[in-house]
């Protein structure tokens, strides 16, 4: 019986030591800010890249379009 109570006492003591203190400051992680910056940079670069690609396609399309004065007047 003593052994059983001794084991219970050890278990209670270990769980009390493993519990975090309530007054500890929260850790400030820096990696989420780097991840957010990387995502935002990727979005901005994608917008810039697509803007230039759309302008290039419009230029190519307008270049190959027939002139309005050369169209037949029927």
């Amino acid at each position: 019986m003593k052994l059983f109570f001794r084991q219970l006492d050890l278990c209670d003591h270990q769980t009390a030591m493993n519990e975090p203190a309530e007054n500890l400051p929260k850790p400030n992680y820096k990696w989420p800010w780097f991840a957010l910056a990387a995502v935002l940079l990727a979005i901005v670069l994608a917008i810039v890249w697509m803007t230039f690609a759309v302008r290039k396609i419009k230029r190519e399309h307008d270049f190959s379009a027939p002139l309005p004065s050369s169209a037949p007047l029927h």
Side-chain angles (χ1 to χ4, degrees):
M1 209 56 171
K2 282 184 179 181
L3 182 63
F4 178 72
F5 287 118
R6 180 178 276 166
Q7 286 177 349
L8 283 179
D9 186 39
L10 287 176
C11 289
D12 290 341
H13 182 65
Q14 287 176 353
T15 56
M17 289 181 66
N18 290 337
E19 292 177 2
E22 293 179 12
N23 57 357
L24 287 178
K26 283 186 169 182
N28 292 331
Y29 296 111
K30 293 182 182 177
W31 69 266
W33 294 106
F34 288 116
L36 177 65
V39 168
L40 292 177
L41 181 64
I43 291 171
V44 169
L45 288 176
I47 290 171
V48 170
W49 179 28
M50 290 306 295
T51 301
F52 283 111
V54 167
R55 285 183 184 174
K56 180 181 175 187
I57 296 297
K58 281 185 179 180
R59 249 193 334 255
E60 290 175 359
H61 179 71
D62 290 342
F63 178 74
S64 62
L67 296 173
S69 62
S70 65
L73 299 172
H74 291 196

